[in-house]
Amino acid sequence: MISCTITISGTVQGVGFRPFVYRLAHAHGIAGTVRNSPSGVVITARGDRHTIDAFIRAIQSGSPPLAHITGLVTEETADTKDYSGFSIAPSRKGDSPDVDVTRDTAPCEACLREMSDPANRRHNHPFVNCTDCGPRYTIIKKLPYDRPDTTMAEFCMCDECRKEYDNPADRRFHAQPVCCPNCGPSLTLLDKTGNSMECDTPLAHAIGLIAEGAILAVKGLGGFHLACRADSPAAVTALRQRKHREQKPLAVMVENAHIARKYCILSDIELALLTGIERPICICRTQDNCSGIAADVAPRLSTLGIMLPSTPLHYLLFATDRYDALVMTSGNLSAEPICASTGEAVDKLEGIADFFLVHDRGIHVRVDDSIVRILDKNPVLLRRARGFVPAPLTVDLPVDGIIALGGIMKSTICVGRNSTCYVSHYLGKADCIETLDNASAVLDHYRTILGVEPQQYVTDNHPGGFASSIIADSTVSVLKVQHHHAHAAACLAENRIRGKALCLVYDGLGLGEDDTIWGGELLVADCTEYSRTGHLLPMLMPGGDAATLNPARMALGALWETFPETAEKICPWIPRKERCAIYAILESGIQRPVTTSMGRLFDSLAAILDICRKQTYEGQPAIELEECADRNETGAYEWRIDSKSGMLVFDGPLVLKSAFDDFCRGTKPSVVAARFHNSIADMSAHAARRAAETTGLDTICLTGGCFQNKLLSERLVKKLRNSGIKPCFHRILSPGDECISFGQTVVAGAKRSTIDNDDKDKAERNIRNG
């Protein structure tokens, strides 16, 4: 007989791991205990060596579906205690945690069956859950993961739930959020001013209100949604007007995959994503002649952001046949975080929502929906949030105590612990106080649950908003990382590329080392350093940020220096007074920053083709340009790459001018848009080939918001592969600015590793030299 301590780290709390171990121990005849601790799950086991070895193998090969083991350490001990069987011991607290937080997941099939069974005591219970599903990340306050440290602490289990919780044979054995209609959270229906409405069944009354055309604010897992009938033009129009959301597509929720196929063409990959435990919004192509979805849900687009219910409450909203699709969009004011508490929702959404369907389970961390799109036959996250966070990313670098604060457009934070990075969910654009407050709260939460004290902050080389507020009074060192190097490092690390690679970074805006605005960059980079090998020909941005919101300004600026004769011809719909004001800016040399942004080049053509005159949501011109493009068109325009002092300069304005000339000859905008995409793909692939020949590198990372463009990405990837160059995409993080914080952490860790290795080499030389 031997005794040993088995310490298991990873995602092993809040996933039914202790009950799993308990049952295995009884099956193998092992005596001892299992408990949660800050270091993970700790097992004290006593038995013969052969049985304990079999017990450990069974743990490794058959862990619960939501668990993920990252480490298992076994240490023999001199413990001779005579255990009376095997038991679950109280959690140990006080040490620094070394365990991962579990993500929120959609309800499992077993829970859904219970909820739909009239004979079950949890029939129509909106908060049904078990160890295999339900709320985790959004309700956890600190680790170890126990009910008193979650927002379920205020709900005392009834006797029946307690029996399930204490029964090793039950799937709710030690399920921390376990509850039922007798002891769990409850629903309340409020009127538009936040006053409680008298009704016996708030849910049924809410369904009736939605069916009649009302807009409801519905409290979900990580915050509020604004919901209305997706087939009601009046309801959708009212929602847009009240929320001041002019044209940005709205997400739609349907009950199941069968109904999703009614509206969208679904590949096997998209179907798997829709029905997976994460339940993201999937951007899918709509069916031809699709009816049943109001045109204003996704204006001028042939795609639809569609999702399945992510909570039991969402399933219950489809309990009748009065509608089969609901608009389900974030419950917030423009640019602000999603509302999380009832008081906040009533305050912020009054005037938007007609009624509020709320519950009394607290949301400790507000999290929006994730968004995913298939690119190159693989899913790419456009927004990483509910269902995917806070899954960690392991890097072979010393990142402990590194806190990266991301960019200022699509901000996230990243906290390093040991050699693991924890990237937050999407926090929003850091240009309003509500987003800054939310970012600070999320950072505090990550530091608490991970037990991390900051040793170094990392910011963009043009920090703003959140970063500035955090580091203002800090005595901790601060490292600034160039925006596009952070992009490159994120893609390198995500693809486990250890050495140098080519990196094509196409995005909107990022401050370059020469104090111009970069955004169309070809780099040679590793995680420590980079060199700029190529870039888009610089263009002027008349009025600075105003050129982003008004793409016609950008079109004039893009062609001003190289093709000034086109100024009077392009975008004839620009009012004369405004056109003269733009000319004055361009001629004065004031308020016309220089940019190499590929995103702004796409915006320019969208304006020239009169596809998008004003950006009402981020990326709109480029999104609508891609939507317009004829997928069957294979032609391309003249392009040129100049070599200036060893730098490859891609002549984007030449491609833009060629597209404009083609448009003037009467070519359809759909054909012009497609040829433009093909030209950019051709030019980019050729630049990559030239860089590969010069450097000997045959791998290229594609990163930046422009690579959310399916047409550009897939045509470029094909050309790169045909040239013998291996393209690498983001698969865990978004290619947009949400990956910046991860890249910043990786750069800081790589620089720290280099310093540590230099110190080690110096010490070894000193020893050799006596």
Side-chain angles (χ1 to χ4, degrees), residues 403-426:
I403 296 178
L405 304 177
I408 60 174
M409 287 297 292
K410 289 190 171 183
S411 59
T412 59
I413 60 166
C414 181
V415 177
R417 186 181 68 181
N418 300 326
S419 60
T420 303
C421 296
Y422 297 83
V423 183
S424 78
H425 49 285
Y426 168 67

Side-chain angles (χ1 to χ4, degrees), residues 263-549:
Y263 298 114
C264 293
I265 301 168
L266 301 179
S267 67
D268 291 342
I269 300 173
E270 288 166 333
L271 183 62
L273 285 167
L274 277 174
T275 58
I277 60 174
E278 299 89 356
R279 297 295 164 88
I281 299 169
C282 293
I283 308 298
C284 304
R285 188 156 294 276
T286 53
Q287 294 281 4
D288 293 337
N289 302 316
C290 177
S291 61
I293 302 292
D296 205 29
V297 168
R300 301 205 295 270
L301 298 179
S302 61
T303 56
L304 185 66
I306 196 165
M307 60 177 160
L308 301 191
S310 56
T311 71
L313 174 58
H314 290 131
Y315 272 101
L316 291 172
L317 288 175
F318 294 97
T320 68
D321 59 359
R322 302 185 69 177
Y323 47 75
D324 65 5
L326 293 175
V327 166
M328 197 70 71
T329 191
S330 302
N332 62 349
L333 296 179
S334 179
E336 292 188 10
I338 189 171
C339 294
S341 70
T342 298
E344 180 186 24
V346 170
D347 178 54
K348 299 280 188 181
L349 304 180
E350 184 179 6
I352 301 177
D354 297 312
F355 302 93
F356 297 81
L357 182 61
V358 303
H359 59 75
D360 51 354
R361 184 180 68 202
I363 297 173
H364 189 64
V365 181
R366 66 184 83 210
V367 182
D368 215 326
D369 298 312
S370 295
I371 305 175
V372 67
R373 187 182 192 185
I374 302 301
L375 299 178
D376 190 34
K377 298 181 181 180
N378 284 286
V380 171
L381 282 163
L382 308 188
R383 182 167 74 197
R384 181 177 180 266
R386 177 188 50 75
F388 292 94
V389 293
L393 289 85
T394 301
V395 293
D396 298 323
L397 294 167
V399 295
D400 195 48
I402 295 174
I403 296 178
L405 304 177
I408 60 174
M409 287 297 292
K410 289 190 171 183
S411 59
T412 59
I413 60 166
C414 181
V415 177
R417 186 181 68 181
N418 300 326
S419 60
T420 303
C421 296
Y422 297 83
V423 183
S424 78
H425 49 285
Y426 168 67
L427 300 173
K429 186 178 177 182
D431 60 353
C432 67
I433 190 64
E434 290 81 5
T435 300
L436 301 183
D437 289 343
N438 180 45
S440 294
V442 170
L443 177 55
D444 289 344
H445 181 60
Y446 267 62
R447 287 181 53 189
T448 298
I449 61 176
L450 298 174
V452 171
E453 287 298 320
Q455 299 176 26
Q456 184 179 42
Y457 286 116
V458 195
T459 74
D460 194 88
N461 62 329
H462 184 201
F466 175 56
S468 298
S469 65
I470 291 296
I471 66 176
D473 300 320
S474 175
T475 58
V476 178
S477 66
V478 177
L479 173 68
K480 292 185 178 182
V481 175
Q482 199 279 325
H483 185 92
H484 298 91
H485 185 207
H487 262 297
C491 199
L492 287 164
E494 194 178 317
N495 286 279
R496 298 283 183 167
I497 300 172
R498 298 181 182 276
K500 290 185 181 296
L502 300 173
C503 299
L504 201 57
V505 191
Y506 286 172
D507 66 353
L509 303 173
L511 184 65
E513 289 186 351
D514 58 1
D515 290 331
T516 65
I517 300 170
W518 292 4
E521 312 304 314
L522 178 59
L523 310 179
V524 173
D526 58 22
C527 292
T528 306
E529 58 187 6
Y530 76 98
S531 60
R532 193 185 192 198
T533 300
H535 60 78
L536 199 64
L537 185 69
M539 304 170 290
L540 302 178
M541 290 182 65
D545 288 342
T548 300
L549 300 176

Side-chain angles (χ1 to χ4, degrees), residues 574-722:
I574 302 175
R576 190 66 201 172
K577 185 176 180 180
E578 181 180 352
R579 186 182 291 271
C580 290
I582 297 170
Y583 291 164
I585 292 172
L586 290 168
E587 290 169 349
S588 70
I590 302 172
Q591 292 186 327
R592 49 165 226 182
V594 174
T595 183
T596 59
S597 169
M598 183 61 76
R600 299 294 81 84
L601 188 69
F602 274 77
D603 291 356
S604 299
L605 185 61
I608 287 172
L609 299 183
D610 201 10
I611 291 171
C612 182
R613 295 187 178 188
K614 179 183 178 183
Q615 177 180 287
T616 65
Y617 62 89
E618 187 181 356
Q620 180 182 1
I623 290 170
E624 294 185 350
L625 183 68
E626 179 193 356
E627 173 65 30
C628 171
D630 181 351
R631 262 58 179 178
N632 296 317
E633 174 61 39
T634 59
Y637 297 120
E638 176 188 2
W639 51 263
R640 182 173 61 230
I641 297 177
D642 295 323
S643 182
K644 298 179 179 179
S645 302
M647 184 75 68
L648 300 175
V649 181
F650 329 145
D651 197 338
L654 174 61
V655 179
L656 189 65
K657 173 62 163 53
S658 299
F660 169 66
D661 290 341
D662 198 16
F663 180 54
C664 290
R665 289 192 292 269
T667 304
K668 293 179 180 179
S670 59
V671 174
V672 176
R675 291 173 178 172
F676 178 81
H677 278 81
N678 295 341
S679 304
I680 298 301
D682 280 346
M683 186 167 62
S684 301
H686 185 79
R689 284 197 299 270
R690 288 179 60 173
E693 291 167 359
T694 303
T695 62
L697 300 171
D698 62 358
T699 299
I700 188 165
C701 290
L702 306 179
T703 180
C706 291
F707 288 114
Q708 296 176 355
N709 182 317
K710 183 179 177 72
L711 182 59
L712 172 65
S713 299
E714 292 182 346
R715 297 204 169 174
L716 175 57
V717 163
K718 183 178 180 180
K719 294 178 185 297
L720 290 169
R721 287 176 179 153
N722 289 340

